[in-house]
Amino acid sequence: MIIRKLLTATRIILFEFIKFAVIDLTATAAIKNLFIKKFFVRRMAGNVIIYPGVRWFSGKNIELGRHVLISYSCYLDDYAEIKILDGTGIGPSCRIVTGTHNTETMDMIGRPVIIGRFCWLGAGVIVLPGVEIGDFSIIGAGSVVTKDIPAYSIAVGNPARVIKSRAVKIPFKLWSGEYINNFDNLP
Ligand SMILES: CC(C)(COP(=O)(O)OP(=O)(O)OC[C@H]1O[C@@H](n2cnc3c(N)ncnc32)[C@H](O)[C@@H]1OP(=O)(O)O)[C@@H](O)C(=O)NCCC(=O)NCCS
């Protein structure tokens, strides 16, 4: 019994060590992405950029689109599904949270979060369970997103409120620095 527990603990520690060593220490994005895609997240498209210090709960419920960028020290709490769609950038130290508790019984509840295409979350944004952020929206630094945000919005504050709308222009600069001329035909 004790030996089995020790073996399980060793396996978990080794797996976590390898996982974060790959994410934090691999210099070449291509190799890093290969490992992340194969072993650590459910679905990941091409050209994703993941900076060091990014952490997640299990990875089993994470889906990343093409040209997604996740900056330093973000935490993806994928107790339920997290989808980050094509072209979206998540600023440093953001928290995307899908797990919560029943406020009477403390039972665990999972609610999926979807962040649309070509969005930008500034530094330190917190997205709460069940929220959907519409395509092309921007969330200001330090905001707490408690409710759905419509597409093309700029929302700020705690709780995040829409302060203006966005007019998106083509050509549009991706996080990789490349320009695109067609949102439906990404490189
Ligand atoms: C959201 C943001 C893009 C808005 O830019 P903008 O459209 O130029 O907006 P403005 O600067 O004109 O601000 C409009 C109002 O919103 C307020 N506001 C702007 N950003 C805010 C924020 N993050 N939280 C709370 N209020 C904010 C401003 O104080 C201003 O309020 P006022 O009308 O009462 O004066 C920008 O403020 C921001 O948060 N950028 C994120 C930067 C960042 O995190 N960088 C890290 C690298 S990814």
Side-chain angles (χ1 to χ4, degrees), residues 91-92 120-123 138-141 143 154 156-157 163-164:
W120 169 39
L121 273 55
I138 293 174
I139 312 296
S143 301
I154 299 182
V156 299
I163 52 164
K164 34 183 141 167

Side-chain angles (χ1 to χ4, degrees), residues 90-122:
I90 310 291
S93 300
C94 286
R95 304 281 180 264
I96 299 173
V97 183
T98 64
T100 186
H101 299 274
N102 177 298
T103 51
E104 303 297 333
T105 63
M106 289 296 144
D107 280 341
M108 195 73 197
I109 305 165
R111 295 201 185 104
V113 166
I114 301 174
I115 304 180
R117 304 171 74 218
F118 303 99
C119 295
W120 169 39
L121 273 55

Side-chain angles (χ1 to χ4, degrees), residues 108-172:
M108 195 73 197
I109 305 165
R111 295 201 185 104
V113 166
I114 301 174
I115 304 180
R117 304 171 74 218
F118 303 99
C119 295
W120 169 39
L121 273 55
V125 169
I126 300 177
V127 181
L128 292 187
V131 161
E132 192 167 336
I133 298 178
D135 294 348
F136 296 100
S137 287
I138 293 174
I139 312 296
S143 301
V144 180
V145 190
T146 60
K147 296 199 171 112
D148 291 356
I149 302 290
Y152 297 93
S153 306
I154 299 182
V156 299
N158 178 6
R161 306 251 187 248
V162 176
I163 52 164
K164 34 183 141 167
S165 289
R166 230 183 131 197
V168 174
K169 303 261 181 341
I170 281 286
F172 182 95

